[in-house]
Amino acid sequence: MNKVQSEHLNNQLKDSSPEEVLNFFIKNYKNSIAFSTSFSAEDQVITHMISVIDKTVRIFTLDTGRHFQETYDILDITRNKYDLNIEVYFPDFNKVENMVNEKGVNLFYESIENRLLCCSIRKTEPLKRALHGVDVWVSGMRREQSPSRRNIQVVEWDDPNALIKVNPLVNRTYEQVWAYIRENHVPYHKLHDNGYPSIGCQPCTRAVKPGEDIRAGRWWWEMDGHRECGIHVPSPPSIR
C-alpha cells in the first residue's frame, strides 16, 4: 500500500456512498482493516453501517483515562446493541505517571506543548499500537467539522502511520449524520443532547454556545485555529 494507490482509490470512490466505500474496503481488505471509534455521532453511524455489512470487522477505541462517564456508557450500549467486540486500548501507565508527576495532572491548561504531550501519550501512542499490522484505517472525519479538515479525501494516504485512511462520511453534513441516526435508531452519546457536538476528554471538552463552531468546545482555552490532538490532522510545526 502506498500514496499512489490511495490516490487511485480516491479517484475511484470519491463519489460513492459511505456504504459503498465501506463495502469496497471490507471486501478487499478484510484481514487488514480497522475502524477507530470515539463514539461520536459520525462514528456511531459508521458502526451501524459496519454491523450491517460484516460484524467481524475489527473496531477499537482509545481510553485516555480522562473520559466522561457517558462515553463509557455508550461503549457498553453500542457493544450490546450490535453484538460487537470493541477493543479498548490504554496509554502506557509508566509514561502517564511520569508526565503527571513531572508536569501536574492538569498540565494541558498551561501550554499547547503540554497539551500535545498529553494527547501524544494518551492517544497517539496507543493508536499506533492499535494500528500495528493494519493496511486500511477507517475514521469518521468530515470536511465540515473544522478548517483543518477541509481538504481531507474519501481515501488518502496517512503518512505518520504508513497506511491508507478511509473517511466514508467526508462529504456528509451535520444534518445528514443526524438524519441517519434518527432514521436508523442509532444509539448516540447522551452529551450531544446537552450542547456537546464534539466530545473528547472531560477536562478538554465543554458545551458550545449558540452560533459557535461545532469544535469550539475542544481545547477552548487555546487560540482559534488548529484544535487537533494529532491523531487525524498532524500538528503544525510551530506547535509541535
Side-chain angles (χ1 to χ4, degrees):
M1 305 290 280
N2 55 48
K3 186 175 182 179
V4 173
Q5 287 176 296
S6 70
E7 291 173 351
H8 173 74
L9 289 170
N10 185 62
N11 289 332
Q12 178 182 341
L13 297 167
K14 62 183 179 181
D15 297 320
S16 301
S17 70
E19 292 89 345
E20 289 170 338
V21 172
L22 286 169
N23 263 302
F24 175 87
F25 282 99
I26 290 171
K27 178 182 178 181
N28 291 284
Y29 299 92
K30 174 63 184 294
N31 297 319
S32 58
I33 188 171
F35 167 49
S36 61
T37 178
S38 64
F39 307 102
S40 65
E42 292 83 1
D43 289 345
Q44 290 297 92
V45 167
I46 293 177
T47 297
H48 179 90
M49 291 177 178
I50 288 176
S51 75
V52 173
I53 299 168
D54 186 346
K55 288 189 176 187
T56 67
V57 171
R58 183 166 166 247
I59 302 176
F60 69 87
T61 191
L62 308 176
D63 186 346
T64 65
R66 303 299 300 265
H67 285 323
F68 290 91
Q69 177 58 42
E70 289 86 348
T71 302
Y72 298 110
D73 293 341
I74 193 61
L75 165 59
D76 279 344
I77 290 169
T78 304
R79 272 177 165 168
N80 293 332
K81 177 178 175 64
Y82 296 113
D83 190 25
L84 294 171
N85 176 34
I86 301 176
E87 302 170 13
V88 181
Y89 282 79
F90 296 89
D92 183 318
F93 76 90
N94 286 307
K95 291 181 178 180
V96 173
E97 285 182 358
N98 290 338
M99 175 181 66
V100 170
N101 287 329
E102 178 184 349
K103 294 179 176 292
V105 70
N106 291 320
L107 70 157
F108 32 80
Y109 294 134
E110 297 177 4
S111 70
I112 294 179
E113 289 75 18
N114 278 359
R115 198 268 289 172
L116 290 174
L117 172 66
C118 190
C119 287
S120 176
I121 289 174
R122 293 183 184 274
K123 299 177 75 174
T124 308
E125 292 184 10
L127 175 70
K128 287 188 177 296
R129 285 191 285 113
L131 292 177
H132 180 72
V134 171
D135 291 325
V136 177
W137 171 22
V138 180
S139 94
M141 287 202 301
R142 294 184 299 109
R143 289 188 183 128
E144 186 189 63
Q145 287 172 324
S146 70
S148 59
R149 300 184 178 189
R150 195 165 291 154
N151 296 317
I152 59 176
Q153 304 297 315
V154 173
V155 183
E156 54 190 8
W157 180 249
D158 184 88
D159 197 54
N161 296 297
L163 48 69
I164 283 179
K165 190 172 184 182
V166 179
N167 309 300
L169 302 179
V170 67
N171 294 315
R172 292 301 187 264
T173 65
Y174 182 81
E175 290 75 19
Q176 287 174 316
V177 167
W178 279 97
Y180 186 96
I181 287 173
R182 290 189 294 269
E183 291 166 10
N184 293 278
H185 307 288
V186 177
Y188 63 87
H189 200 299
K190 289 307 176 186
L191 286 181
H192 287 315
D193 291 335
N194 296 325
Y196 290 78
S198 178
I199 303 164
C201 292
Q202 188 275 333
C204 300
T205 309
R206 66 161 172 81
V208 302
K209 301 172 184 176
E212 281 188 316
D213 180 82
I214 63 173
R215 285 181 67 83
R218 303 295 296 276
W219 309 294
W220 68 91
W221 62 90
E222 295 180 3
M223 293 179 65
D224 289 341
H226 195 95
R227 290 179 177 175
E228 297 282 353
C229 66
I231 280 185
H232 293 298
V233 180
S235 305
S238 62
I239 61 172
R240 279 181 185 165

